[in-house]
Amino acid sequence: MPIKLVTTVADLHAESARLLTGKRGTSQGLVPTMGALHEGHAALARAAVGQNDVVVASIFVNPLQFGDATDLDRYPRTLDADLALLEAQGVDLAFAPAVEEVYPGGEPLVRITSGAMGEKWEGVSRPGHFDGALTVVAKLLHYGIPGTGLPAGEGAEGGLPAYRAYFGQKDAQQLALVRRMVADLNFPVDIVGVPTVRSADGLALSSRNRFLSDDEREAALVLSRALRLLEERAKAREPLDLESALAMVESHPLVSVDYFDVVDPGTLEPLAENCRETPFRGEALALIAAKVGPVRLIDNMPLSS
Ligand code: PAF
């Protein structure tokens, strides 16, 4: 079925209702994006299409989560290619609103605060970023609640259709914060984390990779190699020896590490004990951020033994 593009919340509700009408036991999936879609987003869309009867993807470059107006202006806008990619995955509806549709009164006075969890890691170099991201995610999650446009009595038997929203594990801090927001504020949605998609040589897919020169792209591979090393040590229940993995990354002349640590996947607090001499046990998340030439990249790896 060809994808349908809508740009207003009213049309989103009307089209979603049209697709859901008459279906029983239905579910709706939401895939929030900022466009510039790549294979990583395609994986989110495929996961949503595989688990839901109706799938909506949003494409909205959210000014609230950019610290710098130049970054916002430079952010790639590729609507036609994005629609083609979403359609190829079987997404039903694309919601691509203008800024005025999402923020009709200008910048919102009341926002979501990401608290201490949003101030660490990425939050250090991007102050306010997660508050802006969570605020728009809260709005998008509300827009996407299935059944909003259905006439009374329509919808799944015994209540509203199930509702799931899909986020990439690649942005691990964002995913952890979205889960926390949904739990803390009782949003009626299940959050599904989708594993990071990597190119064959290990580089995590990112819209920023397009800014890497050939040499920088080659250098960037050291990030995923270091993460894989930790993954192997964790599986083998060896000490993670983070220092040696860090030294490996830092030895590369084009790479400058911002942070590299092993954290609790829920709270994102460092797990210092597991990093050094003690054999690794349990579940953790290795986080890395580095500048490769002028391009800042992030990556992560779930660790388990
Ligand atoms: O991950 C992103 O693309 C954005 O942060 C999101 C979740 C779409 C909110 O703008």
Side-chain angles (χ1 to χ4, degrees):
M1 206 176 58
I3 193 165
K4 170 108 188 169
L5 173 65
V6 292
T7 57
T8 66
V9 177
D11 284 350
L12 170 65
H13 288 158
E15 280 302 318
S16 151
R18 192 179 61 77
L19 290 164
L20 287 166
T21 299
K23 295 190 179 175
R24 291 285 177 261
T26 50
S27 57
Q28 182 158 292
L30 174 73
V31 183
T33 82
M34 295 209 301
L37 305 183
H38 50 63
E39 194 43 42
H41 299 101
L44 296 182
R46 278 196 298 275
V49 169
Q51 294 178 342
N52 299 282
D53 301 295
V54 175
V55 174
V56 180
S58 63
I59 300 173
F60 179 63
V61 183
N62 173 35
L64 243 53
Q65 67 191 78
F66 287 81
D68 183 331
T70 322
D71 281 355
L72 175 62
D73 291 344
R74 256 174 34 126
Y75 196 87
R77 270 89 168 166
T78 56
L79 185 62
D80 289 345
D82 294 345
L83 293 175
L85 178 140
L86 294 170
E87 183 172 289
Q89 316 313 313
V91 171
D92 302 289
L93 265 179
F95 172 54
V99 173
E100 297 70 33
E101 178 72 9
V102 178
Y103 301 117
E107 286 210 5
L109 180 67
V110 177
R111 301 173 187 218
I112 303 285
T113 340
S114 54
M117 205 165 142
E119 283 166 12
K120 53 177 73 128
W121 312 122
E122 282 307 284
V124 174
S125 57
R126 306 176 74 188
H129 166 73
F130 288 115
D131 293 359
L134 287 186
T135 300
V136 84
V137 169
K139 290 176 76 91
L140 294 169
L141 290 176
H142 284 125
Y143 299 150
I145 293 174
T148 311
L150 289 174
E154 281 290 332
E157 261 164 33
L160 291 174
Y163 183 28
R164 304 182 184 96
Y166 295 77
F167 294 84
Q169 174 65 39
K170 162 79 172 37
D171 291 309
Q173 189 170 5
Q174 172 173 275
L175 174 58
L177 280 162
V178 168
R179 286 193 194 285
R180 194 60 201 256
M181 172 178 77
V182 163
D184 284 354
L185 302 180
N186 304 92
F187 284 27
V189 59
D190 287 331
I191 300 301
V192 182
V194 177
T196 302
V197 179
R198 297 177 182 279
S199 50
D201 55 13
L203 187 68
L205 297 196
S206 159
S207 45
R208 293 186 183 190
N209 293 352
R210 69 184 74 192
F211 301 121
L212 295 168
S213 68
D214 289 350
D215 285 350
E216 288 158 359
R217 195 188 177 291
E218 184 59 33
L221 297 180
V222 76
L223 272 62
S224 54
R225 285 195 192 122
L227 291 170
R228 288 258 186 252
L229 188 63
L230 294 186
E231 187 187 35
E232 281 160 23
R233 288 177 183 161
K235 271 194 195 133
R237 298 191 163 193
E238 290 169 3
L240 295 180
D241 189 8
L242 189 58
E243 284 74 12
S244 68
L246 175 63
M248 176 179 141
V249 183
E250 282 184 326
S251 68
H252 206 294
L254 289 177
V255 180
S256 151
V257 176
D258 180 354
Y259 58 79
F260 188 15
D261 219 326
V262 176
V263 303
D264 177 293
T267 63
L268 304 184
E269 287 298 328
L271 289 179
E273 278 306 296
N274 260 331
C275 304
R276 296 182 172 84
E277 289 87 33
T278 49
F280 181 83
R281 287 278 187 282
E283 305 286 323
L285 186 64
L287 297 176
I288 189 164
K291 264 193 146 178
V292 182
V295 187
R296 192 165 184 287
L297 297 179
I298 57 170
D299 199 353
N300 68 85
M301 185 70 71
L303 307 177
S304 66
S305 68

